Amino acid sequence: MRSTSSRYGAGAQAFHWLTVVLVLAAYVLSKGDRDSLYSAAADGLRRIHEALGVLVFIVVVLRLLWGLIDSTPAKQPMPRWMSAAAKLVHFALYALLIAVPATAVLGTWLEGIPVTLPGFDIAPQIAKAHGLGQLIMEIHTTLGNAILWVAGVHAAAALFHHFYLRDEVFQSMAPGG
């Protein structure tokens, strides 16, 4: 379960790949215009999308807590700019993984709509402010698109390390091995 000096452990890998799957699934289920997402016909998809968003947030919190008790593999030797870029991308990913679900909840509540999950709703906990809610939901959509781009850069860098640099960066998080 724990990481070694050369590889992330099963716990860190599980959190990483579960986050990937949840984010991709939530993104795919978010397609469509905002009005159709709140139609009766899209109620089931919206509930799944919102449940996935809550799961992303929970997994990220658990992942951060796991990081407090688990070590990370030794840093691979690389140029300073590459190490700085990796830190920046990781920071951006974590910031987005928290900001995307947070803006969804805030924007939904500001529009006076409950966050709907399978089996129950979470009523708005703040006063309705429709215009601000719409703005926050636009920010949510933009951040949702941004996370795909940042994650794409992250994945491309991992593949660059694997196929071009032929170092152990990719293998340290790859399942198996």
Side-chain angles (χ1 to χ4, degrees):
M1 286 297 288
R2 295 277 183 106
S3 299
T4 67
S5 63
S6 62
R7 288 184 53 79
Y8 287 94
Q13 288 182 27
F15 285 126
H16 178 272
W17 294 107
L18 181 57
T19 302
V20 170
V21 170
L22 291 172
V23 167
L24 287 174
Y27 185 82
V28 167
L29 292 176
S30 71
K31 295 290 110 197
D33 64 64
R34 176 150 167 67
D35 294 327
S36 68
L37 284 175
Y38 286 95
S39 70
D43 187 59
L45 287 178
R46 186 185 84 264
R47 286 180 183 270
I48 294 169
H49 172 77
E50 289 180 1
L52 289 169
V54 169
L55 284 173
V56 166
F57 184 77
I58 291 168
V59 168
V60 168
V61 169
L62 292 173
R63 186 177 181 174
L64 290 169
L65 292 172
W66 181 258
L68 295 174
I69 63 169
D70 191 26
S71 60
T72 57
K75 301 292 181 202
Q76 293 285 320
M78 63 182 73
R80 188 179 300 177
W81 71 266
M82 199 178 285
S83 179
K87 286 178 185 174
L88 177 64
V89 167
H90 280 112
F91 175 80
L93 282 171
Y94 277 106
L96 288 165
L97 286 167
I98 292 168
V100 171
T103 55
V105 170
L106 181 60
T108 301
W109 283 350
L110 284 168
E111 292 213 45
I113 301 169
V115 172
T116 54
L117 301 170
F120 67 97
D121 295 344
I122 304 172
Q125 303 297 307
I126 53 180
K128 184 176 179 178
H130 182 67
L132 182 57
Q134 284 185 320
L135 174 63
I136 299 294
M137 291 310 291
E138 288 176 22
I139 292 169
H140 169 73
T141 299
T142 301
L143 295 177
N145 290 329
I147 200 168
L148 269 266
W149 284 100
V150 176
V153 168
H154 175 68
L159 294 172
F160 177 77
H161 277 276
H162 183 67
F163 291 110
Y164 184 75
L165 297 177
R166 298 188 188 279
D167 60 19
E168 303 299 314
V169 169
F170 178 82
Q171 286 89 345
S172 71
M173 186 54 84

